[in-house]
Amino acid sequence: MRCSLKKLAQGIFCIYVAFTCYTTYIWLQKTLRKAENTAFQNGIKFALSGTRLSAKSKEENWNPWGEEFEDEKGGQRRPPFQAPVFSLSDVEKQALHGNSRHGSMLPWRQLELGAVKKLPSQKIHNIELWGKAAIGLYLWEHIMNSTLEDRLGGVWQYGSKRIQNLIFRFRTGPGVVPHKAPKDVENLVLVLNGREQSKIDFAKIWLDSLSTFEKLKNVAVILLGNEQCDNEWIKQYLVQNGGLVKLVFLVYDSPDVDNVNFYQWPLGVATYRGFPKFRDTIINAMKPRQYICNFLGTVYPNSSRETLMKILTAHNMGNLCYLRPRYEWLPLESEDTRQDFIQALKTSDVTLNPVGKNTECYRIYEALSMGSVPVVEDVMTPGNCGKSKVSHNAPLQLLKEYGAPVIYVKKWEELPDILKAEQKMSISKVIERRTRVLNWYKEFLLKTEEYFVGILKDRFFSS
Ligand SMILES: *[C@@H]1O[C@H](CO)[C@@H](O)[C@H](O)[C@H]1NC(C)=O
Ligand SMILES: *[C@@H]1O[C@H](CO)[C@@H](O)[C@H](O)[C@H]1NC(C)=O
């Protein structure tokens, strides 16, 4: 009896010791983690604002345009962000997880008040880019050199990229619609098409929906303008006229370009018909090209294209040049015609660019991207396009200002002499020029990104 009582007491004592140890262990662990976290937080140099954090924490259960379906499909892993962004969101996530795990207040306020004031230039800004026109793909994949991932089997696509203290999140595809867009967006760049009335009507739906985004602070638009530069319709949306749009990056030489409300924007390559991005390693600058020139395109009656074809035929250029005139317009390329076109650019030293509805055409950028020198008809087309307050170089003021390696002609009668000079050029000179063209194009993309980011920083966040 005594023996078993002693055993019982020992047992109770053991349980007591074990319990105490466990409690101490839990307490220690908590304290340590807390300390770790605080140290970790203090070690973070960036400044997080309160609003951004609350937006971020909502994002944990926020469904960005149908992503909930992905989660439902059995916890499918979200594709990771691109490397530069990853490090930051990782930090953010750890910080947030720390918060919920301990149920304790992390010193956000301290961070906010301390760091924001001391390091205003370090403040991170999120910018949403919503691509509702194909020129958005030129911006994202070509200019910003970023990638896209399919979401919901391609209903929409997503990508992110950090540049300095700006985090860009690009979303595009039919799944990107106003009523599904995140309502807490603060900084937004909308890419829209204003080329014709049906596109304008669609663009207006987006611009009209902006008033439902209550947190919006900054809006810019990248607009594929009308080829005759009739873009009056967008002016009512400018801040200046009581709207929300601070600035518009506008395609085609518009007299509205003033570097305040309107900034010049390049047309780029035709992403809408699947013109690809070529890494410079794919284009072999050293390889001699089969043709001196190429022209593929629709020849409208009484157009300068008709003149061009007559001159090429009269001078018997059919052997030197790759010519595929078409006498009716086809809106969408088949895979064959696309490959044919790419092959033509790849195997010619120069690419002929007669004016269409506008002087600026996709083909100019496409040729440059493949090291083929564009020969461009440097004339104004009918409509309202022309010189602006800030540039007298129209047409193609942007390419001229960037010193694009282009051969300009005022009329196609100049072409035979140009082609003769091409024939006489030594192969080493041709290769040297081609290398220069490819390098120029690469630089052009980088400079355009800088221009874009610089203007956004200045107009969105400088005050
Ligand atoms: C574009 O991105 C690719 C792959 O991420 C990289 O290899 C390349 O150097 C980048 N190009 C430029 C001009 O930054
Ligand atoms: C082309 O121009 C000629 C004379 O300049 C004119 O008679 C003819 O009607 C024009 N054709 C078209 C389709 O505009």
Side-chain angles (χ1 to χ4, degrees):
M1 189 64 191
R2 249 177 126 189
C3 189
S4 61
L5 214 96
K6 200 173 171 183
K7 266 188 185 162
L8 186 71
Q10 271 174 352
I12 288 171
F13 181 70
C14 279
I15 288 167
Y16 171 74
V17 168
F19 186 74
T20 312
C21 283
Y22 179 68
T23 319
T24 314
Y25 165 72
I26 294 286
W27 178 81
L28 264 175
Q29 203 188 30
K30 261 194 175 178
T31 313
L32 275 173
R33 257 198 226 157
K34 209 170 183 173
E36 234 175 56
N37 245 298
T38 312
F40 172 71
Q41 291 310 329
N42 291 340
I44 300 169
K45 275 203 297 251
F46 64 62
L48 286 165
S49 76
T51 49
R52 212 173 75 75
L53 255 179
S54 65
K56 189 70 197 172
S57 43
K58 256 186 265 155
E59 199 169 307
E60 300 292 307
N61 44 35
W62 167 61
N63 293 324
W65 302 346
E67 266 202 308
E68 72 273 25
F69 292 108
E70 287 190 345
D71 290 339
E72 275 170 19
K73 270 190 269 164
Q76 246 181 13
R77 187 177 61 87
R78 270 200 205 182
F81 287 139
Q82 276 198 305
V85 175
F86 188 78
S87 57
L88 179 101
S89 37
D90 205 24
V91 165
E92 286 175 339
K93 263 183 212 142
Q94 286 190 47
L96 284 162
H97 283 170
N99 197 355
S100 59
R101 204 167 38 226
H102 298 282
S104 61
M105 267 303 289
L106 284 171
W108 293 121
R109 299 224 160 265
Q110 261 166 278
L111 264 175
E112 271 168 49
L113 299 174
V116 173
K117 276 185 187 154
K118 273 182 211 143
L119 298 161
S121 61
Q122 291 290 304
K123 185 169 171 171
I124 309 286
H125 298 286
N126 287 293
I127 301 180
E128 288 279 332
L129 289 176
W130 297 345
K132 296 312 297 177
I135 56 167
L137 290 177
Y138 186 67
L139 165 69
W140 189 250
E141 296 188 314
H142 297 241
I143 294 172
M144 297 181 76
N145 194 29
S146 299
T147 51
L148 277 174
E149 288 150 4
D150 277 352
R151 294 288 158 93
L152 274 180
V155 173
W156 65 288
Q157 293 173 300
Y158 176 80
S160 69
K161 179 178 183 179
R162 179 171 178 182
I163 301 173
Q164 300 154 26
N165 62 330
L166 306 183
I167 297 171
F168 290 94
R169 294 194 164 87
F170 183 78
R171 303 167 202 267
T172 191
V176 178
V177 290
H179 71 274
K180 290 219 178 141
K183 290 289 173 208
D184 55 5
V185 55
E186 288 181 10
N187 307 304
L188 175 64
V189 179
L190 263 179
V191 187
L192 298 172
N193 186 342
R195 205 174 154 267
E196 60 198 27
Q197 195 54 48
S198 63
K199 308 284 185 193
I200 293 171
D201 293 342
F202 180 78
K204 280 180 165 176
I205 294 175
W206 272 98
L207 291 165
D208 289 331
S209 78
L210 292 183
S211 57
T212 63
F213 297 88
E214 285 169 8
K215 298 241 171 92
L216 265 186
K217 287 182 187 153
N218 296 297
V219 184
V221 169
I222 297 177
L223 183 67
L224 175 60
N226 171 278
E227 284 161 312
Q228 286 81 35
C229 297
D230 295 327
N231 303 306
E232 284 302 310
W233 66 272
I234 199 159
K235 292 185 181 170
Q236 60 174 299
Y237 296 101
L238 293 172
V239 166
Q240 200 188 38
N241 300 323
L244 285 164
V245 178
K246 279 194 172 173
L247 61 145
V248 179
F249 294 96
L250 185 59
V251 176
Y252 300 125
D253 298 278
S254 165
D256 290 328
V257 171
D258 56 1
N259 292 349
V260 179
N261 291 315
F262 293 94
Y263 292 81
Q264 195 66 48
W265 191 253
L267 177 64
V269 305
T271 47
Y272 81 90
R273 55 172 150 74
F275 189 87
K277 180 178 178 178
F278 292 101
R279 305 234 173 271
D280 20 328
T281 43
I282 291 172
I283 308 294
N284 185 349
M286 303 300 163
K287 201 173 157 203
R289 296 191 171 184
Q290 194 179 349
Y291 301 102
I292 285 188
C293 85
N294 77 76
F295 172 62
L296 290 86
T298 314
V299 179
Y300 310 100
N302 280 16
S303 67
S304 69
R305 298 178 176 206
E306 214 172 51
T307 319
L308 171 63
M309 281 313 295
K310 277 184 195 144
I311 288 168
L312 287 168
T313 319
H315 287 80
N316 233 343
M317 296 296 179
N319 302 325
L320 298 174
C321 295
Y322 185 89
L323 305 176
R324 287 288 178 279
R326 227 169 28 196
Y327 293 90
E328 62 181 325
W329 191 72
L330 304 169
L332 286 175
E333 307 282 315
S334 70
E335 187 52 33
D336 277 356
T337 58
R338 177 165 49 231
Q339 286 310 326
D340 195 31
F341 178 63
I342 289 170
Q343 201 55 27
L345 297 182
K346 218 178 188 170
T347 53
S348 334
D349 291 323
V350 310
T351 294
L352 307 181
N353 293 273
V355 298
K357 284 186 186 158
N358 195 283
T359 318
E360 190 171 357
C361 61
Y362 294 110
R363 200 196 284 107
I364 300 174
Y365 297 88
E366 290 164 344
L368 288 166
S369 81
M370 302 191 73
S372 189
V373 178
V375 179
V376 176
E377 188 180 4
D378 186 15
V379 299
M380 287 304 308
T381 44
N384 298 330
C385 299
K387 59 187 181 193
S388 66
K389 263 190 260 173
V390 295
S391 171
H392 297 272
N393 282 336
L396 305 170
Q397 51 163 299
L398 196 70
L399 291 175
K400 287 173 185 169
E401 272 155 33
Y402 280 107
V406 165
I407 300 170
Y408 295 101
V409 297
K410 283 292 172 197
K411 45 188 181 2
W412 288 113
E413 281 74 11
E414 296 168 38
L415 184 64
D417 283 346
I418 289 169
L419 295 183
K420 264 180 219 144
E422 287 293 322
Q423 269 180 293
K424 284 193 201 133
M425 240 172 138
S426 71
I427 182 71
S428 63
K429 276 261 186 300
V430 171
I431 288 171
E432 187 195 304
R433 181 181 62 179
R434 194 179 299 142
T435 310
R436 196 151 36 83
V437 171
L438 290 169
N439 285 337
W440 178 89
Y441 185 71
K442 216 160 62 174
E443 277 290 302
F444 165 75
L445 295 178
L446 288 172
K447 281 184 192 162
T448 305
E449 183 183 69
E450 264 173 42
Y451 164 83
F452 178 61
V453 170
I455 291 169
L456 289 186
K457 279 177 96 167
D458 184 40
R459 299 294 305 276
F460 279 14
F461 309 117
S462 71
S463 56

